[in-house]
PDB file of all heavy atoms in Angstrom:
ATOM      1  N   GLY A 546      -5.380   2.045  23.784  1.00 97.00           N
ATOM      2  CA  GLY A 546      -4.276   2.383  24.729  1.00 97.00           C
ATOM      3  C   GLY A 546      -4.495   3.698  25.400  1.00 97.00           C
ATOM      4  O   GLY A 546      -5.223   4.521  25.013  1.00 97.00           O
ATOM      5  N   ALA A 547      -3.770   3.894  26.544  1.00 97.00           N
ATOM      6  CA  ALA A 547      -3.874   5.113  27.345  1.00 97.00           C
ATOM      7  C   ALA A 547      -2.598   5.436  28.055  1.00 97.00           C
ATOM      8  O   ALA A 547      -1.730   4.556  28.337  1.00 97.00           O
ATOM      9  CB  ALA A 547      -5.027   4.933  28.311  1.00 97.00           C
ATOM     10  N   VAL A 548      -2.402   6.683  28.356  1.00 97.00           N
ATOM     11  CA  VAL A 548      -1.303   7.161  29.132  1.00 97.00           C
ATOM     12  C   VAL A 548      -1.799   8.299  30.063  1.00 97.00           C
ATOM     13  O   VAL A 548      -2.663   9.068  29.716  1.00 97.00           O
ATOM     14  CB  VAL A 548      -0.144   7.660  28.231  1.00 97.00           C
ATOM     15  CG1 VAL A 548      -0.578   8.905  27.451  1.00 97.00           C
ATOM     16  CG2 VAL A 548       1.101   7.996  29.091  1.00 97.00           C
ATOM     17  N   ASN A 549      -1.264   8.311  31.260  1.00 95.00           N
ATOM     18  CA  ASN A 549      -1.605   9.393  32.199  1.00 95.00           C
ATOM     19  C   ASN A 549      -0.574  10.467  32.194  1.00 95.00           C
ATOM     20  O   ASN A 549       0.596  10.211  32.148  1.00 95.00           O
ATOM     21  CB  ASN A 549      -1.688   8.803  33.655  1.00 95.00           C
ATOM     22  CG  ASN A 549      -2.558   9.626  34.545  1.00 95.00           C
ATOM     23  OD1 ASN A 549      -3.472  10.380  34.097  1.00 95.00           O
ATOM     24  ND2 ASN A 549      -2.436   9.515  35.826  1.00 95.00           N
ATOM     25  N   ARG A 550      -1.059  11.743  32.107  1.00 92.00           N
ATOM     26  CA  ARG A 550      -0.201  12.912  32.133  1.00 92.00           C
ATOM     27  C   ARG A 550      -0.429  13.703  33.424  1.00 92.00           C
ATOM     28  O   ARG A 550      -1.481  14.192  33.659  1.00 92.00           O
ATOM     29  CB  ARG A 550      -0.514  13.724  30.930  1.00 92.00           C
ATOM     30  CG  ARG A 550      -0.343  12.986  29.610  1.00 92.00           C
ATOM     31  CD  ARG A 550      -0.928  13.712  28.424  1.00 92.00           C
ATOM     32  NE  ARG A 550      -2.406  13.874  28.598  1.00 92.00           N
ATOM     33  CZ  ARG A 550      -3.140  14.550  27.770  1.00 92.00           C
ATOM     34  NH1 ARG A 550      -2.611  15.054  26.652  1.00 92.00           N
ATOM     35  NH2 ARG A 550      -4.471  14.724  27.979  1.00 92.00           N
ATOM     36  N   ILE A 551       0.632  13.697  34.246  1.00 89.00           N
ATOM     37  CA  ILE A 551       0.476  14.168  35.604  1.00 89.00           C
ATOM     38  C   ILE A 551       1.166  15.512  35.776  1.00 89.00           C
ATOM     39  O   ILE A 551       2.334  15.656  35.450  1.00 89.00           O
ATOM     40  CB  ILE A 551       1.084  13.169  36.621  1.00 89.00           C
ATOM     41  CG1 ILE A 551       0.411  11.797  36.443  1.00 89.00           C
ATOM     42  CG2 ILE A 551       0.932  13.609  38.028  1.00 89.00           C
ATOM     43  CD1 ILE A 551       1.080  10.638  37.124  1.00 89.00           C
ATOM     44  N   PRO A 552       0.466  16.494  36.317  1.00 80.00           N
ATOM     45  CA  PRO A 552       1.127  17.812  36.507  1.00 80.00           C
ATOM     46  C   PRO A 552       2.342  17.700  37.423  1.00 80.00           C
ATOM     47  O   PRO A 552       2.346  16.878  38.358  1.00 80.00           O
ATOM     48  CB  PRO A 552       0.029  18.666  37.206  1.00 80.00           C
ATOM     49  CG  PRO A 552      -1.202  17.993  36.862  1.00 80.00           C
ATOM     50  CD  PRO A 552      -0.947  16.476  36.806  1.00 80.00           C
ATOM     51  N   THR A 553       3.327  18.584  37.178  1.00 75.00           N
ATOM     52  CA  THR A 553       4.527  18.566  37.988  1.00 75.00           C
ATOM     53  C   THR A 553       4.799  19.963  38.516  1.00 75.00           C
ATOM     54  O   THR A 553       4.369  20.949  37.906  1.00 75.00           O
ATOM     55  CB  THR A 553       5.803  18.130  37.158  1.00 75.00           C
ATOM     56  OG1 THR A 553       5.894  18.919  36.063  1.00 75.00           O
ATOM     57  CG2 THR A 553       5.638  16.697  36.745  1.00 75.00           C
ATOM     58  N   GLY A 554       5.478  20.079  39.643  1.00 68.00           N
ATOM     59  CA  GLY A 554       5.849  21.400  40.201  1.00 68.00           C
ATOM     60  C   GLY A 554       4.600  22.220  40.509  1.00 68.00           C
ATOM     61  O   GLY A 554       3.651  21.660  41.094  1.00 68.00           O
ATOM     62  N   ASN A 555       4.598  23.516  40.130  1.00 65.00           N
ATOM     63  CA  ASN A 555       3.493  24.331  40.452  1.00 65.00           C
ATOM     64  C   ASN A 555       2.532  24.462  39.280  1.00 65.00           C
ATOM     65  O   ASN A 555       1.591  25.291  39.300  1.00 65.00           O
ATOM     66  CB  ASN A 555       4.051  25.755  40.799  1.00 65.00           C
ATOM     67  CG  ASN A 555       4.889  25.773  42.063  1.00 65.00           C
ATOM     68  OD1 ASN A 555       4.535  25.145  43.016  1.00 65.00           O
ATOM     69  ND2 ASN A 555       5.979  26.596  42.003  1.00 65.00           N
ATOM     70  N   GLU A 556       2.649  23.637  38.265  1.00 58.00           N
ATOM     71  CA  GLU A 556       1.822  23.647  37.083  1.00 58.00           C
ATOM     72  C   GLU A 556       0.585  22.790  37.303  1.00 58.00           C
ATOM     73  O   GLU A 556       0.686  21.677  37.674  1.00 58.00           O
ATOM     74  CB  GLU A 556       2.641  23.142  35.893  1.00 58.00           C
ATOM     75  CG  GLU A 556       1.875  23.043  34.618  1.00 58.00           C
ATOM     76  CD  GLU A 556       1.387  24.363  34.068  1.00 58.00           C
ATOM     77  OE1 GLU A 556       2.227  25.208  33.631  1.00 58.00           O
ATOM     78  OE2 GLU A 556       0.187  24.585  34.095  1.00 58.00           O
ATOM     79  N   PHE A 557      -0.652  23.386  37.080  1.00 57.00           N
ATOM     80  CA  PHE A 557      -1.842  22.634  37.250  1.00 57.00           C
ATOM     81  C   PHE A 557      -2.215  21.801  36.026  1.00 57.00           C
ATOM     82  O   PHE A 557      -3.055  20.922  36.057  1.00 57.00           O
ATOM     83  CB  PHE A 557      -3.066  23.527  37.627  1.00 57.00           C
ATOM     84  CG  PHE A 557      -3.678  24.309  36.454  1.00 57.00           C
ATOM     85  CD1 PHE A 557      -4.806  23.777  35.858  1.00 57.00           C
ATOM     86  CD2 PHE A 557      -3.171  25.478  36.044  1.00 57.00           C
ATOM     87  CE1 PHE A 557      -5.347  24.429  34.830  1.00 57.00           C
ATOM     88  CE2 PHE A 557      -3.763  26.193  35.019  1.00 57.00           C
ATOM     89  CZ  PHE A 557      -4.887  25.678  34.364  1.00 57.00           C
ATOM     90  N   ARG A 558      -1.595  22.156  34.822  1.00 50.00           N
ATOM     91  CA  ARG A 558      -1.859  21.444  33.604  1.00 50.00           C
ATOM     92  C   ARG A 558      -0.985  20.169  33.527  1.00 50.00           C
ATOM     93  O   ARG A 558       0.188  20.235  33.938  1.00 50.00           O
ATOM     94  CB  ARG A 558      -1.602  22.316  32.397  1.00 50.00           C
ATOM     95  CG  ARG A 558      -2.498  23.532  32.332  1.00 50.00           C
ATOM     96  CD  ARG A 558      -2.026  24.502  31.245  1.00 50.00           C
ATOM     97  NE  ARG A 558      -0.692  25.055  31.539  1.00 50.00           N
ATOM     98  CZ  ARG A 558       0.023  25.837  30.712  1.00 50.00           C
ATOM     99  NH1 ARG A 558      -0.545  26.219  29.567  1.00 50.00           N
ATOM    100  NH2 ARG A 558       1.214  26.285  31.068  1.00 50.00           N
ATOM    101  N   GLY A 559      -1.544  19.084  32.974  1.00 49.00           N
ATOM    102  CA  GLY A 559      -0.769  17.873  32.850  1.00 49.00           C
ATOM    103  C   GLY A 559      -0.194  17.608  31.430  1.00 49.00           C
ATOM    104  O   GLY A 559       0.432  16.614  31.228  1.00 49.00           O
ATOM    105  N   ASN A 560      -0.501  18.521  30.492  1.00 51.00           N
ATOM    106  CA  ASN A 560      -0.047  18.330  29.079  1.00 51.00           C
ATOM    107  C   ASN A 560       1.457  18.034  29.025  1.00 51.00           C
ATOM    108  O   ASN A 560       2.232  18.707  29.681  1.00 51.00           O
ATOM    109  CB  ASN A 560      -0.417  19.547  28.250  1.00 51.00           C
ATOM    110  CG  ASN A 560      -1.902  19.964  28.368  1.00 51.00           C
ATOM    111  OD1 ASN A 560      -2.305  20.454  29.317  1.00 51.00           O
ATOM    112  ND2 ASN A 560      -2.599  19.627  27.278  1.00 51.00           N
ATOM    113  N   MET A 561       1.845  17.104  28.184  1.00 54.00           N
ATOM    114  CA  MET A 561       3.234  16.803  28.020  1.00 54.00           C
ATOM    115  C   MET A 561       3.988  18.042  27.477  1.00 54.00           C
ATOM    116  O   MET A 561       5.157  18.254  27.807  1.00 54.00           O
ATOM    117  CB  MET A 561       3.394  15.641  27.020  1.00 54.00           C
ATOM    118  CG  MET A 561       2.921  14.304  27.635  1.00 54.00           C
ATOM    119  SD  MET A 561       3.074  12.894  26.484  1.00 54.00           S
ATOM    120  CE  MET A 561       1.684  13.118  25.415  1.00 54.00           C
ATOM    121  N   ALA A 562       3.268  18.847  26.652  1.00 54.00           N
ATOM    122  CA  ALA A 562       3.983  20.080  26.084  1.00 54.00           C
ATOM    123  C   ALA A 562       4.405  21.088  27.160  1.00 54.00           C
ATOM    124  O   ALA A 562       5.235  21.928  26.903  1.00 54.00           O
ATOM    125  CB  ALA A 562       3.073  20.704  25.040  1.00 54.00           C
ATOM    126  N   VAL A 563       3.769  20.966  28.354  1.00 52.00           N
ATOM    127  CA  VAL A 563       4.117  21.961  29.354  1.00 52.00           C
ATOM    128  C   VAL A 563       4.799  21.241  30.580  1.00 52.00           C
ATOM    129  O   VAL A 563       4.872  21.700  31.676  1.00 52.00           O
ATOM    130  CB  VAL A 563       2.858  22.758  29.891  1.00 52.00           C
ATOM    131  CG1 VAL A 563       2.332  23.625  28.809  1.00 52.00           C
ATOM    132  CG2 VAL A 563       1.834  21.849  30.423  1.00 52.00           C
ATOM    133  N   GLY A 564       5.324  20.054  30.249  1.00 57.00           N
ATOM    134  CA  GLY A 564       6.189  19.391  31.288  1.00 57.00           C
ATOM    135  C   GLY A 564       5.462  18.333  32.099  1.00 57.00           C
ATOM    136  O   GLY A 564       6.057  17.834  33.105  1.00 57.00           O
ATOM    137  N   GLY A 565       4.261  18.002  31.766  1.00 68.00           N
ATOM    138  CA  GLY A 565       3.566  16.945  32.512  1.00 68.00           C
ATOM    139  C   GLY A 565       4.317  15.583  32.413  1.00 68.00           C
ATOM    140  O   GLY A 565       4.903  15.200  31.407  1.00 68.00           O
ATOM    141  N   ARG A 566       4.335  14.914  33.553  1.00 85.00           N
ATOM    142  CA  ARG A 566       5.041  13.605  33.618  1.00 85.00           C
ATOM    143  C   ARG A 566       4.035  12.494  33.139  1.00 85.00           C
ATOM    144  O   ARG A 566       2.855  12.527  33.517  1.00 85.00           O
ATOM    145  CB  ARG A 566       5.419  13.357  35.089  1.00 85.00           C
ATOM    146  CG  ARG A 566       5.986  11.988  35.361  1.00 85.00           C
ATOM    147  CD  ARG A 566       6.546  11.844  36.763  1.00 85.00           C
ATOM    148  NE  ARG A 566       5.450  11.948  37.743  1.00 85.00           N
ATOM    149  CZ  ARG A 566       4.696  10.989  38.227  1.00 85.00           C
ATOM    150  NH1 ARG A 566       4.878   9.754  37.679  1.00 85.00           N
ATOM    151  NH2 ARG A 566       3.725  11.211  39.069  1.00 85.00           N
ATOM    152  N   VAL A 567       4.524  11.560  32.338  1.00 91.00           N
ATOM    153  CA  VAL A 567       3.643  10.481  31.915  1.00 91.00           C
ATOM    154  C   VAL A 567       3.861   9.228  32.726  1.00 91.00           C
ATOM    155  O   VAL A 567       4.982   8.944  33.258  1.00 91.00           O
ATOM    156  CB  VAL A 567       3.989  10.148  30.405  1.00 91.00           C
ATOM    157  CG1 VAL A 567       3.658  11.364  29.523  1.00 91.00           C
ATOM    158  CG2 VAL A 567       5.422   9.658  30.197  1.00 91.00           C
ATOM    159  N   ALA A 568       2.775   8.513  32.884  1.00 94.00           N
ATOM    160  CA  ALA A 568       2.806   7.295  33.683  1.00 94.00           C
ATOM    161  C   ALA A 568       1.872   6.262  33.112  1.00 94.00           C
ATOM    162  O   ALA A 568       0.837   6.557  32.416  1.00 94.00           O
ATOM    163  CB  ALA A 568       2.423   7.578  35.125  1.00 94.00           C
ATOM    164  N   GLN A 569       2.203   4.981  33.377  1.00 95.00           N
ATOM    165  CA  GLN A 569       1.334   3.845  32.902  1.00 95.00           C
ATOM    166  C   GLN A 569       0.020   3.926  33.608  1.00 95.00           C
ATOM    167  O   GLN A 569      -0.162   4.343  34.784  1.00 95.00           O
ATOM    168  CB  GLN A 569       2.033   2.551  33.292  1.00 95.00           C
ATOM    169  CG  GLN A 569       1.515   1.309  32.634  1.00 95.00           C
ATOM    170  CD  GLN A 569       2.413   0.158  32.970  1.00 95.00           C
ATOM    171  OE1 GLN A 569       3.100   0.087  33.940  1.00 95.00           O
ATOM    172  NE2 GLN A 569       2.333  -0.947  32.084  1.00 95.00           N
ATOM    173  N   VAL A 570      -1.086   3.569  32.883  1.00 95.00           N
ATOM    174  CA  VAL A 570      -2.410   3.666  33.475  1.00 95.00           C
ATOM    175  C   VAL A 570      -3.291   2.666  32.750  1.00 95.00           C
ATOM    176  O   VAL A 570      -3.034   2.340  31.594  1.00 95.00           O
ATOM    177  CB  VAL A 570      -2.935   5.097  33.277  1.00 95.00           C
ATOM    178  CG1 VAL A 570      -3.291   5.433  31.868  1.00 95.00           C
ATOM    179  CG2 VAL A 570      -4.095   5.322  34.203  1.00 95.00           C
ATOM    180  N   LYS A 571      -4.311   2.226  33.403  1.00 95.00           N
ATOM    181  CA  LYS A 571      -5.321   1.361  32.814  1.00 95.00           C
ATOM    182  C   LYS A 571      -6.559   2.129  32.372  1.00 95.00           C
ATOM    183  O   LYS A 571      -6.864   3.133  32.982  1.00 95.00           O
ATOM    184  CB  LYS A 571      -5.721   0.215  33.777  1.00 95.00           C
ATOM    185  CG  LYS A 571      -4.556  -0.733  34.191  1.00 95.00           C
ATOM    186  CD  LYS A 571      -3.952  -1.382  32.948  1.00 95.00           C
ATOM    187  CE  LYS A 571      -2.811  -2.301  33.375  1.00 95.00           C
ATOM    188  NZ  LYS A 571      -2.147  -2.944  32.164  1.00 95.00           N
ATOM    189  N   ILE A 572      -7.307   1.569  31.402  1.00 97.00           N
ATOM    190  CA  ILE A 572      -8.624   2.177  31.014  1.00 97.00           C
ATOM    191  C   ILE A 572      -9.685   1.590  31.957  1.00 97.00           C
ATOM    192  O   ILE A 572      -9.830   0.321  32.017  1.00 97.00           O
ATOM    193  CB  ILE A 572      -8.887   1.867  29.543  1.00 97.00           C
ATOM    194  CG1 ILE A 572      -7.759   2.459  28.666  1.00 97.00           C
ATOM    195  CG2 ILE A 572     -10.215   2.487  29.154  1.00 97.00           C
ATOM    196  CD1 ILE A 572      -7.864   2.054  27.214  1.00 97.00           C
ATOM    197  N   THR A 573     -10.441   2.465  32.591  1.00 97.00           N
ATOM    198  CA  THR A 573     -11.442   2.016  33.534  1.00 97.00           C
ATOM    199  C   THR A 573     -12.750   1.662  32.834  1.00 97.00           C
ATOM    200  O   THR A 573     -12.960   1.927  31.667  1.00 97.00           O
ATOM    201  CB  THR A 573     -11.742   3.067  34.564  1.00 97.00           C
ATOM    202  OG1 THR A 573     -12.388   4.168  33.954  1.00 97.00           O
ATOM    203  CG2 THR A 573     -10.516   3.510  35.246  1.00 97.00           C
ATOM    204  N   ASP A 574     -13.689   0.991  33.578  1.00 97.00           N
ATOM    205  CA  ASP A 574     -14.984   0.640  32.975  1.00 97.00           C
ATOM    206  C   ASP A 574     -15.698   1.960  32.657  1.00 97.00           C
ATOM    207  O   ASP A 574     -16.372   1.977  31.603  1.00 97.00           O
ATOM    208  CB  ASP A 574     -15.786  -0.178  34.047  1.00 97.00           C
ATOM    209  CG  ASP A 574     -15.223  -1.566  34.206  1.00 97.00           C
ATOM    210  OD1 ASP A 574     -14.513  -2.025  33.351  1.00 97.00           O
ATOM    211  OD2 ASP A 574     -15.564  -2.159  35.230  1.00 97.00           O
ATOM    212  N   ARG A 575     -15.638   2.999  33.469  1.00 97.00           N
ATOM    213  CA  ARG A 575     -16.327   4.223  33.211  1.00 97.00           C
ATOM    214  C   ARG A 575     -15.748   4.815  31.905  1.00 97.00           C
ATOM    215  O   ARG A 575     -16.498   5.312  31.033  1.00 97.00           O
ATOM    216  CB  ARG A 575     -16.093   5.206  34.331  1.00 97.00           C
ATOM    217  CG  ARG A 575     -16.283   6.695  34.089  1.00 97.00           C
ATOM    218  CD  ARG A 575     -17.707   7.029  33.738  1.00 97.00           C
ATOM    219  NE  ARG A 575     -17.834   8.483  33.592  1.00 97.00           N
ATOM    220  CZ  ARG A 575     -18.907   9.082  33.195  1.00 97.00           C
ATOM    221  NH1 ARG A 575     -20.012   8.382  32.879  1.00 97.00           N
ATOM    222  NH2 ARG A 575     -18.955  10.394  33.017  1.00 97.00           N
ATOM    223  N   GLU A 576     -14.462   4.759  31.706  1.00 97.00           N
ATOM    224  CA  GLU A 576     -13.857   5.332  30.521  1.00 97.00           C
ATOM    225  C   GLU A 576     -14.261   4.485  29.235  1.00 97.00           C
ATOM    226  O   GLU A 576     -14.448   5.073  28.140  1.00 97.00           O
ATOM    227  CB  GLU A 576     -12.369   5.322  30.623  1.00 97.00           C
ATOM    228  CG  GLU A 576     -11.948   6.417  31.645  1.00 97.00           C
ATOM    229  CD  GLU A 576     -10.554   6.248  32.241  1.00 97.00           C
ATOM    230  OE1 GLU A 576      -9.932   5.162  32.011  1.00 97.00           O
ATOM    231  OE2 GLU A 576     -10.116   7.110  32.980  1.00 97.00           O
ATOM    232  N   ARG A 577     -14.456   3.217  29.417  1.00 97.00           N
ATOM    233  CA  ARG A 577     -14.927   2.368  28.306  1.00 97.00           C
ATOM    234  C   ARG A 577     -16.344   2.758  27.952  1.00 97.00           C
ATOM    235  O   ARG A 577     -16.733   2.735  26.801  1.00 97.00           O
ATOM    236  CB  ARG A 577     -14.779   0.896  28.680  1.00 97.00           C
ATOM    237  CG  ARG A 577     -13.324   0.461  28.677  1.00 97.00           C
ATOM    238  CD  ARG A 577     -13.207  -1.057  28.789  1.00 97.00           C
ATOM    239  NE  ARG A 577     -11.803  -1.429  29.004  1.00 97.00           N
ATOM    240  CZ  ARG A 577     -10.881  -1.512  27.954  1.00 97.00           C
ATOM    241  NH1 ARG A 577     -11.288  -1.328  26.711  1.00 97.00           N
ATOM    242  NH2 ARG A 577      -9.728  -1.864  28.174  1.00 97.00           N
ATOM    243  N   GLU A 578     -17.126   3.067  28.980  1.00 97.00           N
ATOM    244  CA  GLU A 578     -18.504   3.546  28.695  1.00 97.00           C
ATOM    245  C   GLU A 578     -18.550   4.895  27.921  1.00 97.00           C
ATOM    246  O   GLU A 578     -19.341   5.025  26.975  1.00 97.00           O
ATOM    247  CB  GLU A 578     -19.261   3.783  30.048  1.00 97.00           C
ATOM    248  CG  GLU A 578     -19.542   2.486  30.788  1.00 97.00           C
ATOM    249  CD  GLU A 578     -20.109   2.820  32.194  1.00 97.00           C
ATOM    250  OE1 GLU A 578     -20.335   3.979  32.474  1.00 97.00           O
ATOM    251  OE2 GLU A 578     -20.389   1.826  32.899  1.00 97.00           O
ATOM    252  N   ILE A 579     -17.584   5.757  28.272  1.00 97.00           N
ATOM    253  CA  ILE A 579     -17.486   7.019  27.529  1.00 97.00           C
ATOM    254  C   ILE A 579     -17.084   6.707  26.080  1.00 97.00           C
ATOM    255  O   ILE A 579     -17.704   7.288  25.153  1.00 97.00           O
ATOM    256  CB  ILE A 579     -16.431   7.898  28.157  1.00 97.00           C
ATOM    257  CG1 ILE A 579     -16.957   8.385  29.550  1.00 97.00           C
ATOM    258  CG2 ILE A 579     -16.070   9.129  27.296  1.00 97.00           C
ATOM    259  CD1 ILE A 579     -15.938   9.176  30.331  1.00 97.00           C
TER     260      ILE A 579
END
Side-chain angles (χ1 to χ4, degrees):
V548 63
N549 202 24
R550 301 167 299 177
I551 303 169
T553 57
N555 295 322
E556 177 63 70
F557 80 94
R558 299 169 296 177
N560 306 74
M561 290 179 282
V563 295
R566 175 174 63 86
V567 297
Q569 193 174 25
V570 72
K571 298 299 181 184
I572 301 173
T573 68
D574 290 342
R575 161 67 175 171
E576 289 157 354
R577 292 188 184 279
E578 291 173 3
I579 292 173

